[in-house]
Amino acid sequence: MSSTKRVRVRFAPSPTGPLHMGGVRTALYNYLFARQHKGDFILRIEDTDSNRFVPGAEAYILESLRWCGITIDEGVSVGGPHAPYRQSERKEIYLKYALQLVASSNAYYAFDTPEELNAIRSEAEAAGRTFSYNYEVREKLPTSLSLPAEEVQKRIDRGDQWVIRFKTPENEEIHMHDLIRGDVTVNTSTLDDKVLYKSADALPTYHLANIVDDHLMEITHVIRGEEWLPSLPLHYMLYRALGWSDSQPEFAHLPLLLKPTGKGKLSKRDGDKMGFPVFPLQWTSSDGEQSRGYREDGYFPEAFINMLALLGWNPGTDQEIFSMDELIKAFSLERVSKSGARFNPEKAHWFNAQYLRTKSDKELAELFLPTLKEKGIEVPISKVEQVVALIKERAAFVKELWDLSWFMFQAPETYDTKSVTKFWKGENPARIAALREVLAGIDDFSKEHAEKVVFDWIVKNEYPMGQVMNTFRIAIVGAGSGPSIMDICAIIGKEETLRRIDNALLRLNRNETAE
Ligand code: GLU
């Protein structure tokens, strides 16, 4: 590839179901690479395998990319100079190339039916061999390599089903280069003759359509999952056979995403078992099975993207928090690892907490407001802002805000038995009754002022600070945890503070607790 060529990459998913987070990472790395090189990011939908087509999957892919902030320059949903970008709409393009490969003796017709092939396979297995459709058998099977030309034509003309297979050369070393893995060599005798085109549905298979489209769409770099590495020799041979080696893209195969523990790749089953999503968005399959999504689980797209970017790539520094713009600047294929990247659900959590913390109080308050509305709580946004400012350091998700702050909006209805047993005893209840009067006398109920008055009073009376404050907390919150008690009082206000103390004195002195 000449270095002056405009960088063009593509994300080429097949609409076979919801996009796995590994797929999103592939899209992300392509996107970062394109943006960094001021190139184009293309979305191509590879839907030539009609058996695996799943309705709704394409819309899911588009919505996932949109949610993640991965914008498409060219392709499905936006159009462009190489439209259409959905392979099923490009059907007519591919046959010509398949026939060209037959004409140049790089491919051949094969007439065996799936039943015949199954029979041959079972026979081989019974004899302890594995059957491979390759140079050893292709001239013994009903192919255009074994049948006379007239017979081949006759079969095609009468409508027999056929496929076109690539004629993999025997015993040739294919030398390849991968931008992540370096040089790779494979001997062609280990490969089988892949089907390139099927008359049954007049459609190419992945291999042919993918190479033809990458060529026609002037793709310069193919960045995709490791599972495609075994196809690379065939792809090299296809470029050569079609006479396109000079403009062949460069390749980069990304490492697998691995399970949090143990061996193997990250699957939906791991997510179900350990309680985390493996898909960006929620998905309901045609049989009604629901899979959770990062979006619906409450992740911020920026946090999800940041976490994904670091699954298989590292910046070479300690920096962990990256905005999309920072990722675009820092990303490089050289720093993508060869070995699998282990997914850590706790780290995903951690990233979300970091992003939650950096949201402004106003933004967070707005995100929290719908929950409050649902609970029938009508409060001014300014109060919600004060509340989130106090608790955001302790939350990883917006959905946790309620549990961390409900007592700012409602008086406790019950009291935690453990805390009550520990603190609501001895002189403490009487001290709280006295504290009530101190509080009642404060006009400036700001945190700073009220806190000073309360602390001075405790010190003056030589009361144990912890005992008094913890007992006070029980009266206000009903439990032993939460932000600083005087912060809470300042937010709920003097009247509510006094009311809660009165309530606690009344109920706890009668021994009422939660359980
Ligand atoms: N359609 C293939 C997939 O779903 C694309 C592989 C490639 O990028 O070449 O993974």
Side-chain angles (χ1 to χ4, degrees), residues 434-456:
L435 175 61
R436 186 214 183 275
E437 297 318 312
V438 174
L439 292 166
I442 303 178
D443 288 329
D444 171 6
F445 216 69
S446 67
K447 179 204 168 170
E448 291 70 28
H449 182 71
E451 188 171 68
K452 183 167 177 350
V453 174
V454 171
F455 284 1
D456 287 351

mmCIF file of all heavy atoms in Angstrom, residues 434-456:
data_model
loop_
_atom_site.group_PDB
_atom_site.id
_atom_site.type_symbol
_atom_site.label_atom_id
_atom_site.label_comp_id
_atom_site.label_asym_id
_atom_site.label_seq_id
_atom_site.Cartn_x
_atom_site.Cartn_y
_atom_site.Cartn_z
ATOM 1 N N ALA A 434 -31.895 16.976 74.180
ATOM 2 C CA ALA A 434 -31.285 18.282 74.464
ATOM 3 C C ALA A 434 -30.772 18.922 73.172
ATOM 4 O O ALA A 434 -30.925 20.130 72.952
ATOM 5 C CB ALA A 434 -30.143 18.104 75.458
ATOM 6 N N LEU A 435 -30.204 18.084 72.309
ATOM 7 C CA LEU A 435 -29.686 18.576 71.026
ATOM 8 C C LEU A 435 -30.820 19.205 70.204
ATOM 9 O O LEU A 435 -30.625 20.202 69.512
ATOM 10 C CB LEU A 435 -29.030 17.419 70.248
ATOM 11 C CG LEU A 435 -28.539 17.742 68.833
ATOM 12 C CD1 LEU A 435 -27.466 18.839 68.853
ATOM 13 C CD2 LEU A 435 -27.982 16.492 68.159
ATOM 14 N N ARG A 436 -31.988 18.625 70.332
ATOM 15 C CA ARG A 436 -33.138 19.147 69.600
ATOM 16 C C ARG A 436 -33.368 20.618 69.940
ATOM 17 O O ARG A 436 -33.629 21.454 69.066
ATOM 18 C CB ARG A 436 -34.406 18.359 69.957
ATOM 19 C CG ARG A 436 -35.602 18.769 69.113
ATOM 20 C CD ARG A 436 -36.903 18.694 69.857
ATOM 21 N NE ARG A 436 -38.008 19.044 68.961
ATOM 22 C CZ ARG A 436 -38.404 20.289 68.730
ATOM 23 N NH1 ARG A 436 -37.786 21.316 69.301
ATOM 24 N NH2 ARG A 436 -39.406 20.524 67.899
ATOM 25 N N GLU A 437 -33.225 20.919 71.195
ATOM 26 C CA GLU A 437 -33.452 22.298 71.632
ATOM 27 C C GLU A 437 -32.351 23.220 71.128
ATOM 28 O O GLU A 437 -32.615 24.355 70.736
ATOM 29 C CB GLU A 437 -33.576 22.369 73.162
ATOM 30 C CG GLU A 437 -34.778 21.593 73.709
ATOM 31 C CD GLU A 437 -36.046 21.774 72.859
ATOM 32 O OE1 GLU A 437 -36.389 22.922 72.516
ATOM 33 O OE2 GLU A 437 -36.677 20.742 72.492
ATOM 34 N N VAL A 438 -31.128 22.679 71.107
ATOM 35 C CA VAL A 438 -30.011 23.474 70.568
ATOM 36 C C VAL A 438 -30.289 23.805 69.104
ATOM 37 O O VAL A 438 -30.192 24.964 68.668
ATOM 38 C CB VAL A 438 -28.674 22.701 70.708
ATOM 39 C CG1 VAL A 438 -27.547 23.463 70.029
ATOM 40 C CG2 VAL A 438 -28.366 22.450 72.175
ATOM 41 N N LEU A 439 -30.708 22.795 68.353
ATOM 42 C CA LEU A 439 -30.974 22.983 66.919
ATOM 43 C C LEU A 439 -32.138 23.957 66.705
ATOM 44 O O LEU A 439 -32.109 24.781 65.791
ATOM 45 C CB LEU A 439 -31.287 21.633 66.251
ATOM 46 C CG LEU A 439 -30.107 20.651 66.158
ATOM 47 C CD1 LEU A 439 -30.602 19.248 65.811
ATOM 48 C CD2 LEU A 439 -29.085 21.118 65.126
ATOM 49 N N ALA A 440 -33.126 23.824 67.555
ATOM 50 C CA ALA A 440 -34.308 24.689 67.430
ATOM 51 C C ALA A 440 -33.928 26.163 67.578
ATOM 52 O O ALA A 440 -34.573 27.045 67.012
ATOM 53 C CB ALA A 440 -35.357 24.290 68.469
ATOM 54 N N GLY A 441 -32.827 26.390 68.288
ATOM 55 C CA GLY A 441 -32.417 27.768 68.505
ATOM 56 C C GLY A 441 -31.526 28.352 67.405
ATOM 57 O O GLY A 441 -31.132 29.507 67.469
ATOM 58 N N ILE A 442 -31.185 27.547 66.410
ATOM 59 C CA ILE A 442 -30.275 28.039 65.358
ATOM 60 C C ILE A 442 -31.079 28.702 64.248
ATOM 61 O O ILE A 442 -32.020 28.112 63.717
ATOM 62 C CB ILE A 442 -29.458 26.866 64.748
ATOM 63 C CG1 ILE A 442 -28.671 26.135 65.847
ATOM 64 C CG2 ILE A 442 -28.520 27.374 63.659
ATOM 65 C CD1 ILE A 442 -27.883 24.939 65.348
ATOM 66 N N ASP A 443 -30.699 29.908 63.880
ATOM 67 C CA ASP A 443 -31.400 30.570 62.771
ATOM 68 C C ASP A 443 -30.727 30.269 61.433
ATOM 69 O O ASP A 443 -31.389 29.974 60.456
ATOM 70 C CB ASP A 443 -31.436 32.089 63.000
ATOM 71 C CG ASP A 443 -32.407 32.421 64.127
ATOM 72 O OD1 ASP A 443 -33.395 31.654 64.270
ATOM 73 O OD2 ASP A 443 -32.164 33.393 64.875
ATOM 74 N N ASP A 444 -29.401 30.358 61.432
ATOM 75 C CA ASP A 444 -28.673 30.066 60.190
ATOM 76 C C ASP A 444 -28.405 28.562 60.159
ATOM 77 O O ASP A 444 -27.482 28.071 60.816
ATOM 78 C CB ASP A 444 -27.363 30.862 60.202
ATOM 79 C CG ASP A 444 -26.447 30.462 59.051
ATOM 80 O OD1 ASP A 444 -26.882 29.658 58.192
ATOM 81 O OD2 ASP A 444 -25.299 30.951 59.022
ATOM 82 N N PHE A 445 -29.226 27.854 59.384
ATOM 83 C CA PHE A 445 -29.130 26.387 59.408
ATOM 84 C C PHE A 445 -28.184 25.841 58.328
ATOM 85 O O PHE A 445 -28.263 24.690 57.923
ATOM 86 C CB PHE A 445 -30.533 25.776 59.259
ATOM 87 C CG PHE A 445 -30.714 24.514 60.066
ATOM 88 C CD1 PHE A 445 -30.750 24.552 61.458
ATOM 89 C CD2 PHE A 445 -30.839 23.272 59.441
ATOM 90 C CE1 PHE A 445 -30.910 23.382 62.208
ATOM 91 C CE2 PHE A 445 -30.994 22.102 60.186
ATOM 92 C CZ PHE A 445 -31.027 22.164 61.575
ATOM 93 N N SER A 446 -27.280 26.691 57.850
ATOM 94 C CA SER A 446 -26.299 26.216 56.860
ATOM 95 C C SER A 446 -25.429 25.165 57.536
ATOM 96 O O SER A 446 -25.278 25.175 58.763
ATOM 97 C CB SER A 446 -25.433 27.372 56.379
ATOM 98 O OG SER A 446 -24.625 27.823 57.451
ATOM 99 N N LYS A 447 -24.843 24.305 56.724
ATOM 100 C CA LYS A 447 -24.049 23.218 57.294
ATOM 101 C C LYS A 447 -22.961 23.764 58.212
ATOM 102 O O LYS A 447 -22.817 23.328 59.356
ATOM 103 C CB LYS A 447 -23.410 22.391 56.187
ATOM 104 C CG LYS A 447 -22.575 21.281 56.785
ATOM 105 C CD LYS A 447 -21.487 20.771 55.922
ATOM 106 C CE LYS A 447 -20.593 19.893 56.792
ATOM 107 N NZ LYS A 447 -19.637 19.155 56.030
ATOM 108 N N GLU A 448 -22.203 24.728 57.705
ATOM 109 C CA GLU A 448 -21.045 25.244 58.449
ATOM 110 C C GLU A 448 -21.474 25.797 59.815
ATOM 111 O O GLU A 448 -20.891 25.462 60.832
ATOM 112 C CB GLU A 448 -20.324 26.344 57.662
ATOM 113 C CG GLU A 448 -19.600 25.848 56.426
ATOM 114 C CD GLU A 448 -20.548 25.399 55.324
ATOM 115 O OE1 GLU A 448 -21.701 25.930 55.250
ATOM 116 O OE2 GLU A 448 -20.176 24.486 54.554
ATOM 117 N N HIS A 449 -22.517 26.610 59.778
ATOM 118 C CA HIS A 449 -22.923 27.245 61.027
ATOM 119 C C HIS A 449 -23.545 26.225 61.993
ATOM 120 O O HIS A 449 -23.127 26.128 63.164
ATOM 121 C CB HIS A 449 -23.903 28.391 60.745
ATOM 122 C CG HIS A 449 -24.300 29.095 62.000
ATOM 123 N ND1 HIS A 449 -23.431 29.910 62.709
ATOM 124 C CD2 HIS A 449 -25.457 29.087 62.725
ATOM 125 C CE1 HIS A 449 -24.025 30.364 63.781
ATOM 126 N NE2 HIS A 449 -25.259 29.886 63.822
ATOM 127 N N ALA A 450 -24.505 25.463 61.520
ATOM 128 C CA ALA A 450 -25.195 24.501 62.398
ATOM 129 C C ALA A 450 -24.195 23.503 62.973
ATOM 130 O O ALA A 450 -24.248 23.159 64.160
ATOM 131 C CB ALA A 450 -26.292 23.785 61.613
ATOM 132 N N GLU A 451 -23.251 23.085 62.114
ATOM 133 C CA GLU A 451 -22.266 22.107 62.579
ATOM 134 C C GLU A 451 -21.410 22.688 63.708
ATOM 135 O O GLU A 451 -21.130 22.025 64.706
ATOM 136 C CB GLU A 451 -21.378 21.683 61.408
ATOM 137 C CG GLU A 451 -20.458 20.526 61.729
ATOM 138 C CD GLU A 451 -19.768 20.008 60.483
ATOM 139 O OE1 GLU A 451 -18.928 20.744 59.913
ATOM 140 O OE2 GLU A 451 -20.095 18.884 60.065
ATOM 141 N N LYS A 452 -21.040 23.936 63.544
ATOM 142 C CA LYS A 452 -20.194 24.575 64.567
ATOM 143 C C LYS A 452 -20.956 24.643 65.902
ATOM 144 O O LYS A 452 -20.416 24.300 66.952
ATOM 145 C CB LYS A 452 -19.782 25.971 64.106
ATOM 146 C CG LYS A 452 -18.855 26.648 65.101
ATOM 147 C CD LYS A 452 -18.201 27.872 64.516
ATOM 148 C CE LYS A 452 -17.314 28.613 65.501
ATOM 149 N NZ LYS A 452 -17.355 28.240 66.897
ATOM 150 N N VAL A 453 -22.216 25.047 65.812
ATOM 151 C CA VAL A 453 -23.021 25.165 67.039
ATOM 152 C C VAL A 453 -23.116 23.799 67.723
ATOM 153 O O VAL A 453 -22.903 23.670 68.946
ATOM 154 C CB VAL A 453 -24.428 25.723 66.708
ATOM 155 C CG1 VAL A 453 -25.316 25.710 67.955
ATOM 156 C CG2 VAL A 453 -24.328 27.128 66.120
ATOM 157 N N VAL A 454 -23.424 22.782 66.929
ATOM 158 C CA VAL A 454 -23.603 21.432 67.497
ATOM 159 C C VAL A 454 -22.297 20.932 68.105
ATOM 160 O O VAL A 454 -22.267 20.440 69.242
ATOM 161 C CB VAL A 454 -24.133 20.456 66.415
ATOM 162 C CG1 VAL A 454 -24.114 19.018 66.922
ATOM 163 C CG2 VAL A 454 -25.539 20.851 65.980
ATOM 164 N N PHE A 455 -21.200 21.078 67.367
ATOM 165 C CA PHE A 455 -19.918 20.587 67.875
ATOM 166 C C PHE A 455 -19.518 21.336 69.154
ATOM 167 O O PHE A 455 -19.076 20.720 70.124
ATOM 168 C CB PHE A 455 -18.814 20.731 66.813
ATOM 169 C CG PHE A 455 -18.899 19.688 65.715
ATOM 170 C CD1 PHE A 455 -19.908 18.722 65.701
ATOM 171 C CD2 PHE A 455 -17.951 19.656 64.688
ATOM 172 C CE1 PHE A 455 -19.976 17.773 64.696
ATOM 173 C CE2 PHE A 455 -18.023 18.703 63.686
ATOM 174 C CZ PHE A 455 -19.038 17.774 63.679
ATOM 175 N N ASP A 456 -19.694 22.659 69.127
ATOM 176 C CA ASP A 456 -19.334 23.434 70.320
ATOM 177 C C ASP A 456 -20.141 22.971 71.527
ATOM 178 O O ASP A 456 -19.627 22.842 72.646
ATOM 179 C CB ASP A 456 -19.603 24.934 70.088
ATOM 180 C CG ASP A 456 -18.565 25.537 69.142
ATOM 181 O OD1 ASP A 456 -17.576 24.826 68.825
ATOM 182 O OD2 ASP A 456 -18.760 26.688 68.685
#
